[in-house]
Amino acid sequence: MPYPAVGPRVLLRRLREVMAEQETAQEKLDRIAALVASNVVAEVCSIYVRDDRDELQLFATEGLRREAVHRARLKVGEGLVGTIARSAEVLNLSDAQAHPAFRYLPETGEEIYSSFLGVPILRSGRVTGVLVVQNRRPRHYSEEEEEALQTTAMVLAEFLASPEFLSELAAHGEKKSRRLHLRGEGLNAGVALGQVVLHQPKVVIRNFVADDIEAEIARLNAALEDLRAHVDELISTTGLSNQGEHAEIFETVRMFANDRGWVRKIEDAIRHGLSAEAAVERVQSDNRARMLRQPDPYLRERMHDLDDLANRLLRILTGQTGTAAQGDLPRDSIVVARSMGPAELLDYERAKLRGLVLEAAGAGSHVAIVARALEIPVIGQVDYITDQVENGDAIILDGRTGDVHVRPNPDIRQAYAEKVRLYARRQARFTRLRGQPAITRDGVRVSLNINAGLLVDLPHLEDSGADGIGLYRTELQFMMTRALPMREEQERHYRAVMKAAGDKPVVFRTLDVGSDKVVPYFKTEREENPAMGWRAIRMGLDRPALLKAQVRALLSAAAGEVLHVMFPMVTDVDEFLQARKMVESQLEVMRLMGKPVPRRVKTGAMVEVPALIFQLEGLVRHVDFLSVGSNDLMQFLFAADRSNPRLAHRFDPLHPAMVRALDTIARACRDAATPVSLCGEMAGSPLDAMILIGLGYTSLSMAPAAVGPVKAMTRTLDRGKLARALRSWLDNGGTSLREKAAVFARDNGVKLYSR
Ligand code: PEP
Ligand code: MG
């Protein structure tokens, strides 16, 4: 009666002995085929490997004709072996030739074999090969035999990914270079060519076999304890446990961490002779294969959560807990991660970092904000990329289009290398403009400033040739740390910013948290509409201690200098007056205490809430300056959530409604001689900035990379001519001024370069 000749533990040990031999990769595979055949008492055992052409190549066999090795190939989906490769599922057949997918390969001589058992060789959820046994006599293979084959497949999976085997594969004319084209959302423009660096490198399992089952189960339990504690800590420290969608995700994670079914499967694998880490990997691999084929996005997401947990468990068990930032980086690193916190990104050596690809993360995510500050191209929402790439894979990303090419062919590589050269040439042109002022052809001087929020932003002030920092988002420092930064820490930070800016002005915006800007240690109530909720200056006035501490830090940091402070989300004049009063009283306290104070303090308000447009007359009498936050102003004017990707392109900042609102603000400020600037995203688009200058804005603040293109536009613009045209466009209505503006630019030689 056919039954495994030896138990799985003995088989594993023998496999390990084979692996340790001083033999070529081919010899090892031949020996494994022979070993499995005798173990399962089969006449045939064959190992098929998925090659560069995405075909399953017969790589080793015991029982089939030797001449067929490296010649017999099946496409994915073709024949029984191809069917297993496509479905990632086991096929156990007593009459293989009766199966509709059966395909006869004459070179192998397999027509005499009736029964067939094939299992996928899975690595990270991808089928990298198929392991098959066959017998002449019709028979159904037992569960133990399936188990033996699966165990062997797991060991083979590691071997097929080893450098030792990959060079063997290359010697057979096939490089492991399956091309992959993925798409995500471009979060920061730019093109990067380099090699994959997995933020969390794949765990390497060195010990597959264990003799002491109880000891392995005890190791597993201890690791599960750690895992559960980690999940609980995550839930409590993020403070997100009571926030709708987050709560649901965390609950799912907690549920998996305590799921008996999952744990039992791992324990079963240990009882079959695997070490705890090999058992976790084995169960995880099956889950991944199902995940990649799961059509329902919700279920797929949940399987993804489980995969994350299994990964963490593996790291705990093997002690491999660091990220790639701690190791030696290649010169052209493109970091690929599921998700990442902003501080983790800053751990990487900037000089070697070329780009970032994330599975999670949208445009407003903190890590994307930091990546923009580092000026590296970023693509987010690239589903399952970490499952499909390996460290060292060639990779290209285009942050403008969201395209990611993995293991690209030479043509694509060439095309992108050309793009990089073009980009560099264009940047060189902007560099030449750096020392030139932004003056229109008819002599209007425009002040171009940068938006910043981190110390890594500061060198851009010099590089871009900007006139100053028009918006310093102070909340970024708060978002980066796990605990509230103390007043002294804030002061040090602001002082460093002012020092780096030298004579150039910096406009500090007080804390704008709430809405999508989550600060982990502020536990706030769940809100239905957080963007219109308790945020920014509203929070600052209701909880004055925090704002007071920040104002004090700013006043001290600017001792002897001119300090510009502005308040976000001001909705009525009284809010501004209260905030200004707070600044004045802190100043007074400092004077009384004999502390050094700024030479001058200028206070301003952001115009982000439409209600403020109807109070401009009163407001301009009190403020030293205004700054239009066009991102929020757009969102509230059009009632369109700025972080909802479905609405991202629905309303145009050059819609007459928005342009009229901007016109009203510009006029009110002109009449009162109040300085006004604009610091939303539109300031960084040359065409939008052209319209702003046409409306009379002479100060703009934007991402550093936009300064060059906007300056080039300004220097080729006749502002007077545009202002006249703009009047007639506004009088005639229409849906957007974009097309008219583009025609004007073209006909009048205004240079519009993209970033
Ligand atoms: C804005 O709303 O336009 C703005 C500049 O502020 P933030 O993008 O930080 O909300
Ligand atoms: Mg805003």
Side-chain angles (χ1 to χ4, degrees), residues 471 473 475 509 512 517 606 608 629-632 642 679-680:
L471 166 66
R473 292 178 161 111
E475 63 276 7
R509 172 174 75 183
D512 184 9
K517 292 172 185 158
M606 287 191 76
E608 308 187 271
S630 55
N631 305 337
D632 276 315
R642 64 189 260 192
C679 60

Side-chain angles (χ1 to χ4, degrees), residues 231 234-235 238-257 296-303 305-306 309 526:
V231 171
L234 201 72
I235 296 178
T238 50
L240 293 172
S241 52
N242 56 355
Q243 292 195 11
E245 193 192 349
H246 294 296
E248 195 184 316
I249 293 169
F250 280 124
E251 273 319 306
T252 317
V253 173
R254 207 199 298 253
M255 189 184 82
F256 280 134
D296 179 335
Y298 179 81
L299 288 179
R300 205 166 52 223
E301 267 311 303
R302 298 293 76 83
M303 291 165 103
D305 294 341
L306 178 59
L309 273 193
R526 182 177 133 63

Side-chain angles (χ1 to χ4, degrees), residues 53 102 194 209 237 247 288 299 304 384 399 433 510 583 639 656 665 668:
R53 294 194 278 183
F102 179 80
V209 202
T237 55
R288 278 208 180 143
L299 288 179
H304 210 250
Y384 306 115
L433 273 185
T510 60
V583 176
I665 300 165

Side-chain angles (χ1 to χ4, degrees), residues 487-488 491 552 555-556 559-560 586-598:
R487 199 176 82 195
E488 295 70 27
E491 188 184 320
R552 266 296 269 285
L555 290 169
S556 306
Q586 288 305 310
L587 203 52
E588 198 45 44
V589 173
M590 286 171 72
R591 280 200 186 105
L592 286 173
M593 290 164 73
K595 305 239 174 201
V597 294

Side-chain angles (χ1 to χ4, degrees), residues 308-339:
D308 271 344
L309 273 193
N311 254 330
R312 191 165 286 278
L313 191 57
L314 270 183
R315 286 178 199 290
I316 297 172
L317 279 165
T318 56
Q320 299 167 32
T321 47
T323 72
Q326 274 94 52
D328 259 352
L329 285 184
R331 268 188 18 231
D332 47 357
S333 299
I334 294 187
V335 174
V336 177
R338 287 187 180 213
S339 61

Side-chain angles (χ1 to χ4, degrees), residues 573-591:
V573 180
D574 197 48
E575 280 178 344
F576 172 76
L577 294 177
Q578 283 182 51
R580 194 182 66 180
K581 205 161 154 206
M582 186 183 288
V583 176
E584 284 162 355
S585 62
Q586 288 305 310
L587 203 52
E588 198 45 44
V589 173
M590 286 171 72
R591 280 200 186 105

Side-chain angles (χ1 to χ4, degrees), residues 413-455:
R413 216 180 274 232
Q414 181 88 31
Y416 276 95
E418 186 53 33
K419 253 189 178 191
V420 169
R421 275 193 288 277
L422 267 178
Y423 192 73
R425 265 209 293 275
R426 187 181 297 165
Q427 288 309 109
R429 187 179 311 142
F430 297 143
T431 309
R432 282 198 294 280
L433 273 185
R434 197 169 53 183
Q436 315 269 358
I439 297 187
T440 64
R441 274 171 33 201
D442 50 342
V444 180
R445 173 76 166 88
V446 182
S447 163
L448 302 183
N449 302 280
I450 61 165
N451 294 345
L454 295 166
L455 295 178

Side-chain angles (χ1 to χ4, degrees), residues 488-508:
E488 295 70 27
E489 228 173 298
Q490 295 181 41
E491 188 184 320
R492 264 199 304 280
H493 183 93
Y494 304 143
R495 188 167 284 135
V497 175
M498 297 201 61
K499 184 157 179 262
D503 293 338
K504 296 181 175 180
V506 182
V507 180
F508 288 96

